[in-house]
Amino acid sequence: RRPERVRALALLATPWDFAAGGAEAVERARGMATLLPGLEPVLQATGSLPVDAIQSLFAMLDPWAIARKFRAFARLDPASPRAIQFVALEDWLNDGIPLAAPVARECLGGWYGRNEPGSGRWRVAGAVVDPAALALPTFLAIPKSDRIVLPASALALAARMPAAHVHMTPAGHIGMAAGGRAEAALWSPLLRWLADL
């Protein structure tokens, strides 16, 4: 709404079109949206979507991933740097903040359910959010193996932005920012892009 106050924009694993990626992506998005009525009593009672509920939604994307990562952790030396990093990352992941109820409804119902961003119907303060109208330099980091934000969804946003710089990171959603290769995968390329502005 105020482009004169922003010189450049960096977007990390940002979803846009929840239908991008074909029938499987559409089915997945609609499945997430169907959870909203069941969450509504919690949203009304607390005014938010609690952290544990958010974590459950993430876990639903690949339920067996949790068992795999903890089996791998059990094979580590507890005093090793890798085990210490694993514990720190898990603490960070599970120390989130609740999502305000109106935002949860908009994300699950409007984004996942009706694909309002991807179809050009998402509004903020009454005005349609149109990435094509944003002409400032934009860095879009898109993890190649992201299971939370499908790469096709984020690439659809990049395709609509006139000054997009797409950086495909060789990582997943969390690994891109906080994994062992995060510096090379995301932070160094982002720093170089910022330095060139």
Side-chain angles (χ1 to χ4, degrees), residues 107-166:
C107 289
L108 288 170
W111 293 6
Y112 284 94
R114 297 182 295 277
N115 193 23
E116 290 172 355
S119 62
R121 294 178 291 134
W122 181 36
R123 294 179 175 271
V124 173
V128 171
V129 178
D130 182 8
L134 194 62
L136 51 84
T138 306
F139 179 96
L140 293 98
I142 301 173
K144 292 179 182 177
S145 54
D146 198 335
R147 291 188 312 255
I148 294 173
V149 174
L150 298 178
S153 178
L155 284 166
L157 174 59
R160 297 195 49 148
M161 303 190 91
H165 171 83
V166 175

